[in-house]
Amino acid sequence: MCCPCSLLGLFALFVAGKCSYSPEPDQQRRLPPGWVSLGRADPEEELSLTFALRQQNVKRLSELVQAVSDPGSPRYGKYLTLEDVAELVRPSPLTLHTVQKWLLAAGARNCHSVTTQDFLTCWLSVRQAELLLSGAEFHHYVGGPAETHAVRSLHPYRLPKALAPHVDFVGGLHRFPPTSTLRQHPEPQVPGTVGLHLGVTPSVIRKRYNLTAQDVGSGTTNNSQACAQFLEQYFHDSDLAEFMRLFGGDFAHQASVARVVGQQGRGRAGIEASLDVEYLMSAGANISTWVYSSPGRHESQEPFLQWLLLLSNESALPYVHTVSYGDDEDSLSSTYIQRVNTELMKAAARGLTLLFASGDSGAGCWSVSGRHQFRPSFPASSPYVTTVGGTSFQNPFRVTDEVVDYISGGGFSNVFPRPSYQEEAVTRYLSSSPHLPPSSYFNASGRAYPDVAALSDGYWVVSNHVPIPWVSGTSASTPVFGGLLSLINEHRILRGLPPLGFLNPRLYQKHGAGLFDVTRGCHESCLNEEVEGQGFCSGPGWDPVTGWGTPNFPALLKTLMNP
């Protein structure tokens, strides 16, 4: 039996190793490929750790998201303010008191909360942190194409049992910064160029998705959009200006970012950072744009988690956010995934449209007890985000119908059950698709994704003053779809309607109206004899490769302008 842990004796009992539990026993703690240890961190080195405090009324929050996002609800479009959300989810006084007392006893300092009071970020020395988080052992690591530095622990940590009702997890121990999955293909050889295009540019996107020169922001509203970047990458204003000079001549646009949140480094520009900004600002042309740039820059912080904290601490935010970030679901602890899902729910309740890239590994693949299975990605699999897959032109040199881009991420969550809004669409796909993989490869009752798609193959990007061709990935399709939704928000705001908010309930109710249905092609998966590298295939209506399809802007505008 565990001894009773009083608040007064919390720290002392904990140091003695009694009454402890593991908040994240299922968190993957392997070193990612390409990362190496540089040795133990100095005991006096300072760390910034984030404590996720237990929230209240999460079920009620879920009900409110449904009410404000469903066009059939009397509460549709009546979004919560950040203060409303804080009132709902704020941890109990007991939780706040218990955690603060525990951290104070451990010597934590410079602790900062957020408006919703459900995160606490504190500074501790490595020695104090290893005492506080029993079992943790902090090392310096370096890895990834940008040689990113991080301080992490590959050992599980434990907390006093008395904190079990009060702390969900501690951020800054296990999860490593992401690396880019963008691909650059060699330029295909094509005889002659009459009537052909040599890669995707803003004019190609605008032609394919039926935008006119008039389909730009008015410059008269408070409309804004944002992209979030978690790689050790930065964009350069000069690259954006050069991109617009080369490719933005036939539509009104803004040539600079309105606001950068986080650190904007002085090093070389990254292709992915350049791509995000250039295509969000050319698809959502002439709309004020924010960039969240590597906000978790201290080596002991998790960049994605730091972005979530920023959302919980800012009352006025852009209406559309595009994010090209993902992890394998199975690499994350269930505690972390559920808590991040609640953070995404908070954003949906506030009327924010969050678009996540579906990933660039098709259905994915991993081996469980010697059996192959598909490998879903998170947050793409969250039921509270709109997930964007990828397509290619049927003829890569002409603006033609689209087919599946074989890298387009998609599948079924092993964590989240299928939400009610997609019940009909997914059931129809599962019962009618002639090319379903064996049922042992996927969880047919899970949240299915993506929800929509856009071109993801063969983009031109300007980075470090150089135009770079044939860049591919759902990191490209996501800002394009996001920019078009920003244009629709512009029309809604001018008409006195609320912004679109969480799109999925409406999207599925409309059965993909306003989207080009993509019905040809399959994405990649396990290279074995059973499935031979083929995952799911697209078909009429919704499918787990391209969702409902790609935007036909005038029709989508009409569909989403109804109150």
Side-chain angles (χ1 to χ4, degrees), residues 42-110:
D42 186 286
E44 301 313 314
E45 185 176 337
E46 294 286 295
L47 298 178
S48 172
L49 298 175
T50 298
F51 300 83
L53 277 57
R54 184 70 44 84
Q55 297 154 315
Q56 300 190 95
N57 304 312
V58 173
K59 187 171 185 296
R60 175 64 182 147
L61 180 66
S62 168
E63 292 165 357
L64 285 168
V65 170
Q66 178 66 25
V68 299
S69 308
D70 179 356
S73 159
R75 282 208 62 163
Y76 177 67
K78 295 175 180 169
Y79 302 125
L80 280 66
T81 64
L82 178 59
E83 289 67 31
D84 294 335
V85 172
E87 197 63 37
L88 196 65
V89 303
R90 182 180 293 123
S92 70
L94 178 60
T95 291
L96 294 169
H97 176 74
T98 303
V99 175
Q100 287 165 1
K101 191 164 188 171
W102 171 63
L103 289 170
L104 197 64
R109 60 205 162 277
N110 295 337

Side-chain angles (χ1 to χ4, degrees), residues 304 320-327 329 341 344 352-362 375-391 407-413 416 419 421-422 446-456 473-482 485 501-505 507-508 515 523 542-551:
F304 179 63
V320 173
H321 296 252
T322 76
V323 187
S324 304
Y325 160 81
D327 266 314
E329 267 189 354
N341 196 52
L344 301 172
L352 305 182
T353 303
L354 301 186
L355 298 176
F356 276 80
S358 69
D360 297 335
S361 304
R375 195 171 202 181
S377 175
F378 178 81
S381 65
S382 166
Y384 294 101
V385 304
T386 299
T387 304
V388 185
T391 59
I407 66 169
S408 179
F412 295 78
S413 174
F416 301 106
Y421 60 72
Q422 64 171 192
R447 180 328 195 205
Y449 70 96
D451 305 298
V452 293
L455 286 162
S456 57
T474 51
S475 295
S477 54
T478 307
V480 165
F481 208 101
L485 291 181
F502 175 45
L503 193 59
N504 291 10
L507 190 68
Y508 283 82
L515 298 164
H523 63 184
W542 179 90
D543 58 69
V545 194
T546 60
W548 286 107
T550 63

Side-chain angles (χ1 to χ4, degrees), residues 279-557:
Y279 281 91
L280 181 60
M281 292 185 69
S282 55
N286 213 35
I287 289 173
S288 179
T289 302
W290 295 19
V291 175
Y292 288 88
S293 181
S294 295
R297 235 348 276 134
H298 187 270
E299 291 180 9
S300 61
Q301 292 177 337
E302 299 177 32
F304 179 63
L305 187 59
Q306 293 305 116
W307 175 71
L308 292 172
L309 266 68
L310 289 171
L311 295 189
S312 277
N313 210 30
E314 185 98 40
S315 295
L317 289 169
Y319 297 126
V320 173
H321 296 252
T322 76
V323 187
S324 304
Y325 160 81
D327 266 314
D328 298 322
E329 267 189 354
D330 58 88
S331 74
L332 301 167
S333 73
S334 53
T335 304
Y336 174 84
I337 279 192
Q338 294 295 346
R339 175 56 187 264
V340 170
N341 196 52
T342 303
E343 297 309 304
L344 301 172
M345 208 188 296
K346 283 159 62 178
R350 296 170 63 189
L352 305 182
T353 303
L354 301 186
L355 298 176
F356 276 80
S358 69
D360 297 335
S361 304
C365 185
W366 68 314
S367 181
V368 185
S369 306
R371 296 263 323 150
H372 284 101
Q373 289 181 9
F374 296 158
R375 195 171 202 181
S377 175
F378 178 81
S381 65
S382 166
Y384 294 101
V385 304
T386 299
T387 304
V388 185
T391 59
S392 306
F393 282 124
Q394 194 169 323
N395 178 333
F397 304 105
R398 294 189 185 277
V399 180
T400 58
D401 289 345
E402 292 160 76
V403 296
V404 169
D405 184 348
Y406 71 96
I407 66 169
S408 179
F412 295 78
S413 174
N414 289 321
V415 175
F416 301 106
R418 184 190 306 159
S420 58
Y421 60 72
Q422 64 171 192
E423 184 68 42
E424 180 188 341
V426 178
T427 301
R428 182 182 292 124
Y429 175 81
L430 291 172
S431 61
S432 64
S433 174
H435 303 293
L436 276 184
S439 60
S440 61
Y441 276 72
F442 65 100
N443 171 29
S445 63
R447 180 328 195 205
Y449 70 96
D451 305 298
V452 293
L455 286 162
S456 57
D457 191 31
Y459 278 67
W460 280 89
V461 179
V462 174
S463 192
N464 299 300
H465 310 290
V466 179
I468 300 168
W470 303 105
V471 175
S472 300
T474 51
S475 295
S477 54
T478 307
V480 165
F481 208 101
L484 299 191
L485 291 181
S486 289
L487 293 180
I488 295 172
N489 269 341
E490 184 86 356
H491 284 267
R492 290 180 62 88
I493 293 163
L494 287 170
R495 197 184 282 186
L497 298 172
L500 288 165
F502 175 45
L503 193 59
N504 291 10
R506 184 177 189 132
L507 190 68
Y508 283 82
Q509 280 179 25
K510 297 288 187 182
H511 299 100
L515 298 164
F516 292 119
D517 195 4
V518 180
T519 59
R520 294 183 55 186
C522 310
H523 63 184
E524 63 186 355
S525 76
C526 302
L527 286 168
N528 61 5
E529 288 182 10
E530 200 167 17
V531 295
E532 297 180 330
Q534 182 174 292
F536 297 99
C537 296
S538 63
W542 179 90
D543 58 69
V545 194
T546 60
W548 286 107
T550 63
N552 177 5
F553 184 75
L556 188 61
L557 176 63

Side-chain angles (χ1 to χ4, degrees), residues 31 35 39 41 47-48 130 136-141 149-155 171-177 296 298-303:
L31 201 57
W35 285 78
L47 298 178
S48 172
E130 289 181 354
E137 189 179 287
F138 289 93
H139 288 243
H140 281 274
Y141 297 94
H149 286 257
V151 178
R152 295 291 187 271
S153 167
L154 295 185
H155 298 264
L173 279 92
H174 300 322
R175 287 165 287 275
F176 280 76
H298 187 270
E299 291 180 9
S300 61
Q301 292 177 337
E302 299 177 32

Side-chain angles (χ1 to χ4, degrees), residues 110-127:
N110 295 337
C111 291
H112 296 284
S113 189
V114 291
T115 302
T116 46
Q117 292 184 256
D118 46 5
F119 286 107
L120 202 54
T121 300
C122 297
W123 289 89
L124 302 100
S125 69
V126 167
R127 187 195 312 279

Side-chain angles (χ1 to χ4, degrees), residues 127-185:
R127 187 195 312 279
Q128 289 168 330
E130 289 181 354
L131 267 176
L132 188 72
L133 309 169
S134 176
E137 189 179 287
F138 289 93
H139 288 243
H140 281 274
Y141 297 94
V142 64
E147 299 214 329
T148 304
H149 286 257
V151 178
R152 295 291 187 271
S153 167
L154 295 185
H155 298 264
Y157 67 97
R158 301 181 69 82
L159 299 180
K161 203 67 171 274
L163 289 173
H166 306 299
V167 176
D168 287 334
F169 68 87
V170 183
L173 279 92
H174 300 322
R175 287 165 287 275
F176 280 76
T179 53
S180 175
T181 57
L182 268 188
R183 307 177 188 199
Q184 190 182 3
H185 300 306

